[in-house]
């Protein structure tokens, strides 16, 4: 199985901060990496697919980059509605695997 | 707008079979892959498997011997059965639709797959 290691596991940030979350795959996965946002009691929401493609309707402050084994999710200016857990997922090959998640909370 | 809703017993006894159903509303179950994913307390997400609307399946090898995913296109539902459960199967279970987008790669046309619609999840506890 392809392992996906996500860091950090949690972070505290202020409104307006630039936030960066990383995922590293145990082997090369080209650009087959997706990013999701999850708030308690809600359904997870796709933000980025194919490492850098913004899903329709997702604010442009979210961006993704990377290829191969190293990937980054960036929130350019953190907004109140962005406090949530973020996780990555590889779709290069089954079984699908996920990062452990990053909880973003208010500093 | 497509929505997914998980349903099934919230409590299952050890050694019995966990059975969940995901109902698809606002759209057709045809043409997509339909996934089950779970998250155990304090752990990350674990992919259980998927079924294509035509009935072909792919399971996580770690669970393959105990998992069956089926689809009922007439009811716009797909289901999960997990046999011989233990306390380790206690988790929030999610269903999710997997979509694809084509792109031109060096070797020709390829596809990005991503889960674009999720249910809110249902908690299943395994306990006697």
């Amino acid at each position: 199985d392809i392992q996906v290691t996500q860091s950090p596991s949690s972070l505290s940030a202020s409104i307006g901060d630039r936030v960066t979350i990383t995922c590293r795959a145990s082997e090369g996965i080209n650009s087959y990496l997706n990013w999701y946002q999850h708030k308690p009691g809600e359904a997870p929401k796709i933000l980025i697919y194919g490492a850098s493609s913004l899903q329709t309707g997702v604010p442009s402050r979210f961006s993704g980059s990377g290829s191969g084994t190293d990937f980054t999710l960036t929130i350019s200016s953190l907004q109140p509605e962005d406090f949530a857990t973020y996780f990555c997922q590889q779709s290069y090959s089954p079984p699908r695997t996920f990062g452990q998640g990053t909880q973003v909370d208010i500093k | 707008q497509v929505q997914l809703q998980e349903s099934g017993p919230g409590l299952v006894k050890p050694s019995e079979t966990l059975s969940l159903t995901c109902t698809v509303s606002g759209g057709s179950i045809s043409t997509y892959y339909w996934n089950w994913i779970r998250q155990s307390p304090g752990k990350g997400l674990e992919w259980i498997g998927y079924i294509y609307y035509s009935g072909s399946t792919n399971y996580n090898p770690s669970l393959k011997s105990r998992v069956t995913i089926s689809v009922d296109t007439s009811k716009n539902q797909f289901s999960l059965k997990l046999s011989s459960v233990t306390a380790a199967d206690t988790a929030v279970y999610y269903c999710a639709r997997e979509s694809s987008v084509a792109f031109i790669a060096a070797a020709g046309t390829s596809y990005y797959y991503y889960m674009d619609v999720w249910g809110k999840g249902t908690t299943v506890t395994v306990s006697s």
Side-chain angles (χ1 to χ4, degrees):
Chain A
D1 298 1
I2 297 174
Q3 306 304 314
V4 182
T5 303
Q6 186 173 342
S7 62
S9 57
S10 65
L11 65 89
S12 296
S14 301
I15 302 300
D17 282 355
R18 182 181 183 88
V19 170
T20 299
I21 300 168
T22 64
C23 275
R24 173 166 288 177
S26 58
E27 61 185 81
I29 58 170
N30 293 331
S31 296
Y32 293 90
L33 193 286
N34 306 317
W35 290 98
Y36 301 85
Q37 177 192 67
H38 190 198
K39 297 179 180 179
E42 297 185 10
K45 174 185 174 183
I46 178 72
L47 300 174
I48 304 282
Y49 64 89
S52 61
S53 295
L54 194 68
Q55 173 72 345
T56 301
V58 174
S60 59
R61 62 181 180 273
F62 291 94
S63 64
S65 64
S67 182
T69 60
D70 294 315
F71 302 86
T72 300
L73 173 70
T74 301
I75 308 172
S76 60
S77 177
L78 197 67
Q79 298 302 301
E81 60 268 30
D82 300 338
F83 292 98
T85 297
Y86 295 84
F87 57 92
C88 57
Q89 173 241 330
Q90 66 83 16
S91 61
Y92 181 73
S93 66
R96 309 293 195 225
T97 47
F98 296 86
Q100 289 294 98
T102 297
Q103 184 172 344
V104 177
D105 58 25
I106 302 173
K107 183 184 288 185
Chain B
Q1 179 181 351
V2 175
Q3 293 184 312
L4 306 183
Q5 177 69 58
E6 304 91 349
S7 60
L11 181 65
V12 181
K13 289 183 169 53
S15 80
E16 295 189 344
T17 296
L18 178 160
S19 295
L20 296 175
T21 295
C22 183
T23 301
V24 180
S25 60
S28 173
I29 203 167
S30 298
T31 317
Y32 294 96
Y33 289 90
W34 301 93
N35 292 260
W36 286 100
I37 302 105
R38 70 181 184 180
Q39 184 166 27
S40 301
K43 295 189 176 181
L45 292 157
E46 179 180 31
W47 177 74
I48 299 171
Y50 66 57
I51 188 165
Y52 194 48
Y53 76 101
S54 60
S56 61
T57 56
N58 195 318
Y59 300 140
N60 192 323
S62 68
L63 298 168
K64 188 173 184 177
S65 63
R66 300 194 291 130
V67 171
T68 302
I69 299 176
S70 59
V71 64
D72 186 337
T73 54
S74 67
K75 294 182 179 179
N76 241 27
Q77 294 177 333
F78 63 105
S79 298
L80 168 70
K81 291 189 185 298
L82 182 65
S83 63
S84 305
V85 297
T86 69
D89 296 308
T90 293
V92 178
Y93 286 77
Y94 298 93
C95 57
R97 184 182 80 173
E98 190 167 20
S99 292
S100 62
V101 170
F103 67 99
I104 304 301
T109 301
S110 190
Y111 296 87
Y112 289 129
Y113 291 93
Y114 55 98
M115 299 178 201
D116 65 335
V117 183
W118 294 64
K120 292 184 179 181
T122 188
T123 300
V124 178
T125 301
V126 178
S127 175
S128 55

